[in-house]
Amino acid sequence: MIDMKLGDKIRNFAIELTKVGSIVGSRDENDATRKVMERFEEMEYFRHHPDNLFYVDAVDDPLERKSVVAVLKGEKGSSKKTVVLIGHTDTVGTSDYGEIEAYATNPDSLPDKLAEVTIPADARKDLESGKYLFGRGLFDMKSGVSILMHIVEELSLDIENLEGNVIFSAVCDEEGGSAGMLSVVPKLVEIMEKEELDYRAVIDTDYSAPRYEGDETRYIYVGTVGKLMPSFYIVGSETHAGDPYKGIDPNQISSAIMEEMNLVMAYADEAEGEVTVPPVSLRQQDLKTEYSVQTAKTSYVYFNFSTHTSTPDQMMEIVKEGALRAFRKTIDRLKEEFSIYSGRSGFEHYELPWKERVLSYSELYQKVKNERGEELDKALSELEARLLADRDVDEREHSLRMVEMVHSMWSDKDPVVIAYYSPPYYPHIYVSEETQKERDLLAAVEEAQKNCESNYKIKMRKFYPYISDLSYAAAPREEGAVESLKDNMPGFGSKYKLPLEEMQKLNLPVVNIGPFGKDAHKFTERIEVDYSYNVTPGLVRDTILNLLK
């Protein structure tokens, strides 16, 4: 437990910060960043060490968003051990609040407005209990930011007895493209190398929620889930709608891939008895631009795959095999239906010509490169220049257009499925006991949990289940993993950039020790007061100090 007065300070500033709107993808994000900076500037330590507090600009950001970095250097001994803390200051939008949207970021007045509208029974119960605070961003994750800021302040007040260092970054754009964290990572590496610091781990205080209906367990997650976006560009064979068996519909193949993978647990990743959610589709459509009675020539579909251990090279082989099965089933079904159609129509039956084929993007590229040589690279370069000049083209479409271009230059026009990766990519971080830093983090968390005096059931699990900036504290080191990502993600390094080398240099274990609440990203978003403000800060502080021992 912590001093109740500190808990009140954390709560009060969290409410203040929530009232500063900072919807992701808007210039308002900087209002919250500025609020964080101003609060740090009030602290005595940073008044005496102003060079230890600074902004980091998001790279190539048209909105000119910033993150805040605060460096706290202990004055006891000469330890280089350093703990990195992160939290994000942006939120998702507020349109889901409907007619009470004006109150979405005001935890003081929002409860009265929620009492006047229909909300789920569980939320109504929590609202009437007085044990929860409501507000957009209060739970995800301005309370977590407030926790870290006030722990930094608490440690700074006894700086002469702090052995080791703490670096905190309040990052922008976590709910979008992680521009804040991706800009901060190279800065962290720069500080580490310049000061010769020994980074031990990264601690985040993003939200923690029930994992199932009625779950009252408070979770600490040592490690984090990753994310890959396997995508499929599907080339069929167009035909007149009145003669459908003379073609093969890419939408049918796409639907077969959907059936093969979407919400199918066989594709879930597992480690130490913890399983990811299954893949889920995020987009499916054909690419026909006009109405006609011609069937589509091409379509595409992409999926959100969560990972615990699978690397990009391993995942590519898995999804290629799955797409091949789906393609084969489509052809088998077509042959079966065509046989029925021929028989019922009294037509002579013949064998349909379709063959299942699945290539990775890198395999497609190599085939076309062998045919067209430098002409291919020149065409791709010109296409990328046009795509980069159009800010309305997002990373997913950029990748798709590059796959289209490469395929269009291939002499082989038979049906095929091209498997590739769309951005973004979030590496998983699996904290086992393989390295000393991993063992030290697990021990630090276990000790903090053991010494925590509370009435709550607190359980440690291995993977934070929600995509977060923790993923960028490391990158795969397995041979071929990163190369497979680069080779199979069109636009990597131009439209979509990751500081992979810096992430590999950090190579840190991670933990999320977050406040408890419910309904993040819903208009009933709320945080439970006692655990979040009186217990969580103590767990975080003790974990930091245990790591610095």
Side-chain angles (χ1 to χ4, degrees):
M1 294 288 288
I2 63 164
D3 181 88
M4 292 296 288
K5 289 183 180 179
L6 181 57
D8 289 342
K9 287 174 67 176
I10 292 170
R11 169 179 169 169
N12 292 340
F13 184 74
I15 292 173
E16 275 188 57
L17 193 57
T18 300
K19 291 178 180 179
V20 179
S22 53
I23 295 174
V24 66
S26 72
R27 292 186 184 276
D28 293 344
E29 285 194 58
N30 276 338
D31 293 340
T33 304
R34 194 175 304 109
K35 183 78 173 178
V36 169
M37 176 64 83
E38 290 170 353
R39 179 69 185 87
F40 272 123
E41 288 172 338
E42 294 171 357
M43 298 180 190
E44 182 178 353
Y45 177 84
F46 293 105
R47 288 204 304 268
H48 290 99
H49 301 84
D51 291 343
N52 289 8
L53 181 64
F54 48 88
Y55 287 115
V56 174
D57 294 332
V59 176
D60 297 328
D61 184 29
L63 296 173
E64 299 180 333
R65 291 170 295 179
K66 304 175 185 299
S67 301
V68 174
V69 173
V71 181
L72 189 67
K73 296 182 178 181
E75 295 177 356
K76 181 179 180 181
S78 57
S79 174
K80 294 291 187 177
K81 287 185 178 181
T82 303
V83 177
V84 178
L85 314 175
I86 63 169
H88 69 86
T89 53
D90 61 317
T91 73
V92 295
T94 56
S95 61
D96 52 327
Y97 286 79
E99 64 179 1
I100 61 172
E101 183 177 8
Y103 303 92
T105 59
N106 191 333
D108 296 328
S109 57
L110 180 60
D112 291 339
K113 298 301 175 181
L114 287 171
E116 298 171 359
V117 300
T118 302
I119 61 176
D122 182 58
R124 176 75 61 187
K125 179 182 176 182
D126 290 343
L127 178 66
E128 294 173 351
S129 73
K131 296 179 180 179
Y132 286 77
L133 294 176
F134 288 69
R136 171 63 81 237
L138 182 63
F139 180 37
D140 181 15
M141 66 162 287
K142 291 179 177 179
S143 291
V145 169
S146 184
I147 287 169
L148 294 175
M149 292 176 67
H150 286 86
I151 288 173
V152 169
E153 182 177 41
E154 183 187 35
L155 294 175
S156 74
L157 294 175
D158 192 25
I159 196 69
E160 63 274 9
N161 289 312
L162 177 65
E163 190 168 7
N165 314 287
V166 175
I167 299 178
F168 168 66
S169 183
V171 299
C172 62
D173 191 44
E174 192 268 358
E175 301 287 6
S178 292
M181 186 64 178
L182 294 177
S183 302
V184 164
V185 163
K187 189 65 178 180
L188 289 173
V189 172
E190 177 188 321
I191 296 170
M192 177 182 73
E193 293 178 343
K194 181 180 179 181
E195 304 285 342
E196 298 182 340
L197 299 179
D198 177 17
Y199 288 173
R200 306 304 299 171
V202 177
I203 300 176
D204 196 357
T205 50
D206 215 332
Y207 74 88
S208 177
R211 298 297 292 137
Y212 54 86
E213 193 70 28
D215 183 16
E216 290 296 328
T217 304
R218 274 52 171 166
Y219 294 104
I220 297 173
Y221 296 97
V222 184
T224 190
V225 70
K227 166 177 172 165
L228 281 164
M229 291 260 287
S231 308
F232 303 92
Y233 177 67
I234 300 144
V235 181
S237 179
E238 73 281 9
T239 186
H240 193 289
D243 211 353
Y245 291 108
K246 287 194 173 180
I248 185 167
D249 185 358
N251 289 328
Q252 189 171 7
I253 303 170
S254 170
S255 295
I257 295 173
M258 179 79 75
E259 185 176 3
E260 167 72 25
M261 297 180 185
N262 195 52
L263 298 178
V264 175
M265 283 301 297
Y267 287 92
D269 216 357
E270 186 172 351
E272 293 195 38
E274 294 189 26
V275 63
T276 67
V277 296
V280 60
S281 68
L282 296 182
R283 185 160 225 177
Q284 179 186 27
Q285 68 179 74
D286 68 48
L287 297 168
K288 188 178 171 185
T289 58
E290 80 290 337
Y291 169 78
S292 72
V293 290
Q294 182 192 55
T295 61
K297 173 75 172 179
T298 57
S299 67
Y300 83 117
V301 58
Y302 57 72
F303 296 86
N304 186 95
F305 271 67
S306 298
T307 66
H308 281 174
T309 60
S310 295
T311 53
D313 55 330
Q314 294 169 338
M315 182 66 72
M316 181 53 67
E317 293 307 310
I318 291 169
V319 299
K320 280 177 59 183
E321 291 172 7
L324 194 65
R325 282 193 297 271
F327 202 162
R328 187 178 302 123
K329 287 179 182 177
T330 301
I331 293 172
D332 289 345
R333 177 72 184 275
L334 273 178
K335 289 180 176 180
E336 180 182 340
E337 296 297 332
F338 180 57
S339 177
I340 295 171
Y341 170 74
S342 298
R344 291 176 62 181
S345 301
F347 298 153
E348 182 178 346
H349 180 263
Y350 59 88
E351 193 71 17
L352 294 178
W354 316 122
K355 303 292 183 184
E356 65 271 16
R357 292 192 304 168
V358 177
L359 300 175
S360 68
Y361 174 73
S362 62
E363 290 169 335
L364 171 68
Y365 174 86
Q366 195 55 56
K367 286 179 180 295
V368 181
K369 178 76 169 179
N370 291 341
E371 287 185 1
R372 307 292 286 266
E374 294 304 315
E375 183 185 357
L376 170 62
D377 294 330
K378 181 182 178 183
L380 278 175
S381 179
E382 291 172 353
L383 172 65
E384 281 218 277
R386 293 194 300 272
L387 293 173
L388 290 170
D390 186 351
R391 291 194 177 274
D392 291 333
V393 176
D394 77 357
E395 289 91 342
R396 270 69 48 195
E397 185 178 355
H398 185 106
S399 294
L400 171 65
R401 298 306 170 198
M402 290 187 68
V403 178
E404 280 185 313
M405 166 68 82
V406 176
H407 179 266
S408 72
M409 296 180 68
W410 192 21
S411 62
D412 188 332
K413 302 303 180 184
D414 288 338
V416 66
V417 172
I418 307 301
Y420 65 99
Y421 288 124
S422 293
Y425 169 54
Y426 290 80
H428 59 258
I429 298 182
Y430 176 23
V431 180
S432 58
E433 296 188 19
E434 185 176 333
T435 69
Q436 188 61 49
K437 287 183 179 180
E438 291 175 334
R439 292 190 290 272
D440 287 348
L441 177 58
L442 288 166
V445 172
E446 287 171 358
E447 185 177 350
Q449 184 179 339
K450 181 176 65 177
N451 294 334
C452 175
E453 297 178 6
S454 78
N455 297 320
Y456 299 96
K457 178 184 177 183
I458 303 172
K459 184 176 181 179
M460 184 170 73
R461 292 179 67 87
K462 278 300 181 77
F463 297 93
Y464 185 59
Y466 315 108
I467 296 300
S468 78
D469 283 341
L470 280 175
S471 285
Y472 298 122
R477 289 175 170 271
E478 295 90 343
E479 184 177 354
V482 168
E483 288 71 21
S484 178
L485 178 76
K486 292 179 177 179
D487 292 344
N488 288 297
M489 184 180 282
F492 186 94
S494 55
K495 181 69 173 182
Y496 182 68
K497 300 176 183 179
L498 281 181
L500 284 170
E501 290 184 11
E502 288 88 349
M503 289 159 59
Q504 288 177 324
K505 285 181 180 179
L506 286 180
N507 195 33
L508 294 172
V510 302
V511 61
N512 191 86
I513 308 174
F516 179 83
K518 301 175 184 178
D519 290 354
H521 295 200
K522 294 187 177 184
F523 80 101
T524 46
E525 175 180 349
R526 59 200 183 275
I527 189 167
E528 190 273 324
V529 172
D530 181 55
Y531 178 81
S532 300
Y533 299 126
N534 299 322
V535 179
T536 304
L539 288 167
V540 175
R541 177 200 59 205
D542 291 352
T543 300
I544 293 170
L545 294 175
N546 292 340
L547 284 166
L548 293 178
K549 283 181 181 177

